[in-house]
Amino acid sequence: MNFSSAAEAMDHSFAMITEERKANGLFLKGDLTFNTTIANLNQYKSGPLLSDPKMTKATVKELKVMNTKAMGPDDLISSLSGGNQQKVIIAREVSGEPDVLIAIQPTRGLDVGAIEFVHKALIRERDRGAAILLISLELDEVMDVSDRIAVIYAGQIVGEFEQGAITEEQAGLLMAGGGAE
């Protein structure tokens, strides 16, 4: 399926946690409310206009649910730590309850607590029924979070396994070109 825009992908119930949160995932000059609600503006309309109170209320709720450390919805997103910025992205992307969530390097540069939080959020989405495509260079992350693992070498899938059917060492060998399934 090819989409001509992010809006078209969202219309088909796709969401994405980008690899580069600062370059592609956030509006760094925007506040938390803007960054939390931008993907789902239709749900904050009041007639032909956006409802600031609805947007602020949704942001406050998401900040609590995601346990984001911020003073309030008017804080600039750039004032938050990387882990809290990632929580805002996740809150935004899952708030529309997508059918497909693509997560590319979702824990890169995060501390242990934020990593655990991201993993739990991905698992919650999976348990809700969303299909999660996790793309990560962190082998332990893939092994811990994924139900199914596809190993790629030289642009080709060289093995596909259920969780627990392959060790990290075996996956590492396949990733390095050390044999096929």
Side-chain angles (χ1 to χ4, degrees):
M1 188 174 267
N2 290 325
F3 300 115
S4 61
S5 68
E8 185 181 355
M10 290 186 305
D11 288 345
H12 285 86
S13 199
F14 278 69
M16 185 167 77
I17 301 167
T18 66
E19 181 176 10
E20 297 288 338
R21 71 178 154 267
K22 289 186 178 182
N24 303 318
L26 297 168
F27 295 91
L28 293 174
K29 293 184 179 180
D31 61 18
L32 293 174
T33 297
F34 183 79
N35 275 281
T36 302
T37 60
I38 188 67
N40 303 296
L41 289 178
N42 286 336
Q43 67 186 355
Y44 305 111
K45 285 188 176 177
S46 183
L49 304 174
L50 291 174
S51 169
D52 283 341
K54 283 183 183 177
M55 293 168 72
T56 301
K57 183 177 179 182
T59 300
V60 169
K61 178 184 172 203
E62 292 299 338
L63 292 175
K64 286 181 185 171
V65 168
M66 294 290 180
N67 194 26
T68 304
K69 292 179 176 76
M71 296 300 287
D74 295 329
D75 285 2
L76 287 177
I77 191 77
S78 59
S79 70
L80 272 60
S81 69
N84 284 306
Q85 288 176 348
Q86 193 73 336
K87 289 178 183 180
V88 169
I89 291 171
I90 292 169
R92 178 186 67 219
E93 297 303 321
V94 303
S95 68
E97 296 188 342
D99 293 333
V100 178
L101 177 62
I102 302 167
I104 306 169
Q105 296 284 89
T107 59
R108 185 167 71 184
L110 302 183
D111 64 32
V112 174
I115 290 170
E116 181 179 349
F117 183 88
V118 170
H119 288 171
K120 286 180 180 178
L122 293 174
I123 290 167
R124 268 194 314 275
E125 284 302 294
R126 180 211 57 202
D127 291 348
R128 182 187 58 76
I132 310 293
L133 175 59
L134 171 64
I135 301 168
S136 179
L137 297 175
E138 301 297 329
L139 191 51
D140 58 336
E141 176 172 62
V142 171
M143 301 297 281
D144 291 344
V145 177
S146 302
D147 294 328
R148 202 170 176 77
I149 299 162
V151 180
I152 299 174
Y153 173 74
Q156 300 293 318
I157 295 177
V158 294
E160 196 171 325
F161 307 91
E162 296 291 324
Q163 185 181 46
I166 186 172
T167 66
E168 282 190 38
E169 293 79 19
Q170 291 168 326
L173 280 172
L174 287 171
M175 290 168 62
E181 191 175 340

